[in-house]
Amino acid sequence: IINNYVEGTQAGARDEASPSGLHFRDSRRKVDYVLAYHYRRRLAQHAPGAASPEPRRGSASVALVSNGGTRKGRAEPQQQQQDDGQRALQEWPGLPGLEVVELSPLDTLEEERRLQREEYECNLLEAGLEIEKDPEDKSQGLSFVRIHAPWQVLSREAELLKIKMPTKKMYEITEEKGILKTLNEIWCKLTEPLQPQVPQQENTKMKTLSYPFSREKIYLYNIKDKDTFFDNATRSRIVREILKRTSTKARNSMGIGTLIANNVYDAAYPLHDGEYEGQNGDMNERKLLYQEWARYGVFYKFQPIDLIRKYFGEKIGLYFAWLGLYTEFLIPSSVVGIIVFLYGCITIESDIPSKEMCDQRNAFTMCPLCDKFCDYWNLSSACATAQASHLFDNPATVFFSIFMALWATMFLEQWKRLQMRLSYFWDLTGLEEEEEHPRPEYETKLLQKKLKNKNITTESSNEFCHICDFVYVFCLQNEKEKLTWSDRMPGYAANFGLILFMIMLAFSAVFGVIVYRITTAAALSFSTNETTRSNVRVTVTATAVIINLVVVLILDEIYGAVAKWLTEIEIPKTEKTFEERLILKAFLLKFVNSYASIFYVAFFKGRFVGRPGQYVYVFDGYRMEECAPGGCLMELCIQLSIIMLGKQLIQNNLFEIGIPKIKKLFRKLKDERTEVKEMDPNQSKDPQQWDLDYILEPFTGLTPEYMEMIIQFGFVTLFVASFPLAPVFALLNNIIEVRLDAKKFVTELRRPDTVREKDIGIWYNILSGIGKLSVIINAFVIAVTSDFIPRLMYQYAYSQNGTMHGFINHTLSYFNVSQLKAGTQPENSLFAQEVSFCRFKDYREPPWSPHQYEFSKQYWAVLSARLAFVILFQNLVMFLSVLVDWMIPDIPKDISEQIKKEKTLLVDFFLKEEHEKLKLIESFIARDKRKRRSGTKSRRTRAASFSQCQRSPKGSFTSFSSQHTVV
C-alpha cells in the first residue's frame, strides 16, 4: 500500500467497485475479512510568517509531514517519527519539502491511531495477506480495509491450525438394517414435506474421507480449484487467526482485539455472502437460509443444520441443533401435560374433598383472615379456589413429575447421541483444543505487573513509549511469567462481595413484594366496599405477581451487566475461560432472580403464620400471609405461569426484536451525524456489502441465547408438578424462538467468526445439574406444597370406609374464639350465627384437650409420611434415570463402527498413495538409467528429471523425502 491505494494503482484514480461487493476491484480476489475505522483529516494551522514556517511556541506536539513517504517509513512508531522530525529541523532548518504543522490534542490522537493502522497493515502484508483500502478523500468519514488471503497463506495456516479437509477418497456409510431401516424409510417419506429445500449431497450413502491439511501431502486432497477449495467460513477463520496474532509496537497492541479496544479500528468482521432478499436472481447461501429457515412462514420445516454449520460454523450449528432437539422433545411432554390437565378437568366433579368444601350444608366457620376488620367466613365461599386447585393438585401430577424427570434424562442422552453423530459427519472427532491467544486485558495487566516489578518510572511520555517498546520485546521473550492468584485477589474479593450483595438484593425484592402483599391486603380489608373486600386475595395476588415480574425483568438486565463486569475484573487469560466464568456468574444470579419468589411460594409461604391467638406479626401489627383455602399449589401455579410467560413474551421476544432494531437505528443516526456530507463523484451509487454489514449489530456470543433457554428448561422441569402446562407454553415459545434467532443471525447480525467446537461446553453440565435438582424440588413440591400426602394418609390410615369422605373436617382444627387477644376480635360481626368455635387449617389439638393447640399425632404422622415420600420418590426417580442412562449408549453403534472404519480406510489410503508415488519415482529412475545407458543424456539430465518430477502440475508429490511419511 502506498498513499492509501492498492499497489499499481495510479495516485488520484479510483477503480470501479466490485459488482458483487464480495471481491477486490479487480473482481478476482475474494474479500475474506474487513476492517472498518473512522478517520479525521488533520486540521492543522500553519504558523504565520514567510514561506518557511516556524513551529509555534507551546504547541501540543510537532509532526514531520512528508509527501510521498514510503511504506517502510510509514510503519515506524509515532514517537520515533516525531524524534526524527525534530532532529531534522535542528540539523537542517532549511530542508526543502518539509512542513512544520501544529497539531491539536485531537489531531495528535488521530495521528497516533493512523500510524498504528499503517504499522498493523504493513505487518499483515508481511504475513502474506493482500489488502485494499479506500482513499481518505473527505475531511472525516468511515473507511474500510479489505483483506484477501492468497493460496500460499491459506495452505500454510490450514496446516498450522490442523483444519480437516476432504481427500480424494470416498467410502460408503454402513446403513442400519432390519426393522430400524424400514422405520427410518417410513419416517423419511412421512417427513419429506417438512424437509427444507436446500442442496443436498448427491449420494448421501457416501462420505468423503477427511484429514488435517498438509502441504507435504497435498496430493491426497481433492483440489479442483484453489480459489474454492477452502470455503468462505474457513477462509475468514484463517484470516481472523492472523489478525489476532499480528501485533504492533505502538502502545503494545497484541492483535486486532487490542486495536479495536483502543479505537484504532471500529470493527473487524467477515462478509455475508450477499443480500438475503432482492430482485436479482443470484442465489447465495445467505438468501437460501433466509428463504428456507429464517422466516416465520417455514416454522413447520426442519432446520437445515448442515447449511447452518457451513455458513456460521460448528459452534452456532451445535446451538441450533440443540435448540431443535429440545423443541422436538417438548412435543411429547406437552401432550402428556395436556392429558394430565384434562384429567384434572374431568375428575373435578367427582373429587370428594372439593365437593365437601363447596357443600354449603357443611357449616365450616373459619377464623378471621385479619385482625379486627375481618369477619368470620364459611369455607364454602372458597369453592372456586378449591376446584381450580384440583386441576393441578391431583394424583396424575405425581406421575407427570416422574415422567418429566425421565424426560430430562432422555433428552440429555439423546443430545449426547446427536452431538456425537454431528461430530462424525462434521469431522469433529478427535478435534484437539487449539491454543488460544491471551485476551488483550490479560496482556495489559501482565505488562503492568512487569513494569511494576522492574520499578520502571517514567518522567515523560517520550520515555514511556521507549520503555514500552523494550518491555513488549521482553514480554515476547519471557512468556512463562503469568498472573498469580495474588494478582487476581482484589477481583476475587470483589466478585464474592458483589455476588453476595446481588443475591441479597434478589431476596430483598421478594421480601418487598411480601410486604406489599401483607400491607395491601390489610388496607383493602378496611374498605367499606363489599366487592373490594371479597376480592382481596385475587387483587393482591395478581398485582403482586405483575410487580414481581417487572422486578425480575429489570434485575435480569442489571445482573447480566454486573456478571460481565465481575468477570472482566477477574482478568481471565483466554476467551474460553472468560466465557465459562461469565456463564457461571450470570446463571447463578439469574437463577436466583427468576426462582426466588417461586421458591418462597412453594416452600415458605403459610409455614410460619402461627395459629389463632398466637399469630406471627411483621412490622408490629401486620400478620404473615397465609395460603389460600385450597392450598399454596394454586398460587404457585399462578406465580410460575405469569413469570414464565412474561419472561418469554417480553424478554425473549419483544426485547430480542426491538433492542437490535433500536441499536441499529442509533448507530445509523450517529454515523450520519458525525460524517460530513461531501460530494464524492467517485463513490459507487449502490452500497457495497461491507457497507451493508457494518450497520448490522455485532455478534456478541451465544450466552444470551443459551441462557434464556436454560432458564426456560428450569421452568419446565423444576416446578412442573404445580404447572403441567409449562411444556406447552415452552413449545409454543420455541417454535417462534427458532425462527426469531434464525432471522436475527441472517438479517440483523454481522456474520460471526466460525468457531470449531465439538460440544456445547459448560451448558451441558448446567442442564444436567438442573435435571437432578428438579427431582428433589418436585419431590418436595408434591410432599410439602400439595395435599397429595395428607389425602393418601387419610384414605389409608384414618378414613373409616377407605374413601375421602370427611377429609376436609379431618384437616381443620378447632379454636375457642373467647381466647382471641383483646383488640383482634372482629368488630361489628355480621355473621349469621353466634360463633363459639372457629376452624383453621392445621393438625392441632382441640381446645378441650389437655394439650390444647399443640401439634397432634396426625401432624407428626403426616410429616413422617412427607419425608418418607421425598426419600422414596428421589431414589426411585434417580434409579430410573441411571437405568435410562445405562440403557442408551452415548455413542450410536453405527457411528462407533464408522469411526473405526474411517481410521482403517485412512491408513489404507495413505499406504496406497505412498505406494503409487514410489512406483512413479522408480519409473523415472528406470527411465533415466535406460537413457544413460543409451548415451543420450548425461548425469545432469537425471537431476533435471527429478526437478521435473518435483514440479509435477498434478501435485502428485512434493519432495523425494516425503516417501518416508509416517502414517
Side-chain angles (χ1 to χ4, degrees), residues 685-711:
K685 294 181 180 180
D686 297 327
Q688 296 297 306
Q689 190 61 46
W690 47 84
D691 297 305
L692 298 174
D693 286 1
Y694 177 76
I695 63 176
L696 298 178
E697 183 73 13
F699 175 69
T700 56
L702 288 170
T703 300
E705 317 300 333
Y706 273 113
M707 187 65 69
E708 64 188 49
M709 288 296 103
I710 296 297
I711 296 296

Side-chain angles (χ1 to χ4, degrees), residues 819-832:
Q819 296 178 350
L820 287 172
K821 290 183 178 180
T824 62
Q825 301 91 341
E827 288 185 351
N828 304 320
S829 176
L830 301 177
F831 205 67

Side-chain angles (χ1 to χ4, degrees), residues 544-550 552-553 556 593-599 601 636-651 711 715:
V545 172
I546 293 174
I547 292 173
N548 194 51
L549 172 63
V550 173
V552 166
L553 294 177
D556 250 3
N593 182 42
S594 299
Y595 298 112
S597 59
I598 299 173
F599 269 94
V601 175
L636 177 61
C637 174
I638 296 173
Q639 186 89 7
L640 179 65
S641 59
I642 291 181
I643 292 180
M644 177 182 175
L645 297 179
K647 280 178 68 67
Q648 289 184 168
L649 179 64
I650 299 174
Q651 192 175 49
I711 296 296
F715 282 123

Side-chain angles (χ1 to χ4, degrees), residues 219 910-918 962-963 965:
Y219 55 87
F910 277 172
L911 293 176
K912 181 180 178 181
E913 290 291 331
E914 291 290 333
H915 182 66
E916 291 180 357
K917 189 173 70 171
L918 287 173
S962 62
Q963 63 178 304
T965 303

Side-chain angles (χ1 to χ4, degrees), residues 442-455:
Y442 179 87
E443 293 283 5
T444 304
K445 187 70 175 179
L446 187 62
L447 180 63
Q448 293 174 354
K449 178 183 178 181
K450 292 179 179 179
L451 284 171
K452 185 177 179 181
N453 292 342
K454 290 288 183 179
N455 294 323

Side-chain angles (χ1 to χ4, degrees), residues 737-767:
E737 180 72 22
V738 171
R739 307 303 162 179
L740 180 63
D741 285 346
K743 188 174 183 180
K744 182 171 68 173
F745 273 86
V746 173
T747 66
E748 297 177 359
L749 294 179
R750 294 176 190 159
R751 188 172 184 173
D753 295 303
T754 57
V755 180
R756 290 179 68 84
E757 294 283 355
K758 58 184 178 181
D759 53 38
I760 60 175
I762 196 173
W763 294 111
Y764 179 83
N765 298 329
I766 294 176
L767 285 168

Side-chain angles (χ1 to χ4, degrees), residues 4-5 14 37-43 110 134-144 671-672 674-684 691:
N4 288 337
Y5 288 89
R14 178 172 180 168
Y37 64 91
H38 280 88
Y39 67 88
R40 180 176 176 273
R41 296 280 291 276
R42 187 180 300 109
L43 302 176
E110 180 61 31
D134 292 333
E136 300 177 1
D137 50 7
K138 297 181 182 180
S139 59
Q140 61 179 353
L142 178 65
S143 186
F144 295 95
D671 291 339
E672 291 177 354
T674 55
E675 186 171 351
V676 179
K677 299 294 182 181
E678 299 179 16
M679 295 300 294
D680 185 3
N682 297 322
Q683 189 173 4
S684 177
D691 297 305

Side-chain angles (χ1 to χ4, degrees), residues 775-776 779-784 789 864-876:
V775 176
I776 302 172
F780 276 99
V781 168
I782 295 171
V784 178
I789 299 300
S864 302
R866 291 181 195 269
L867 296 178
F869 174 82
V870 170
I871 297 172
L872 178 64
F873 182 90
Q874 179 180 341
N875 285 278
L876 174 63

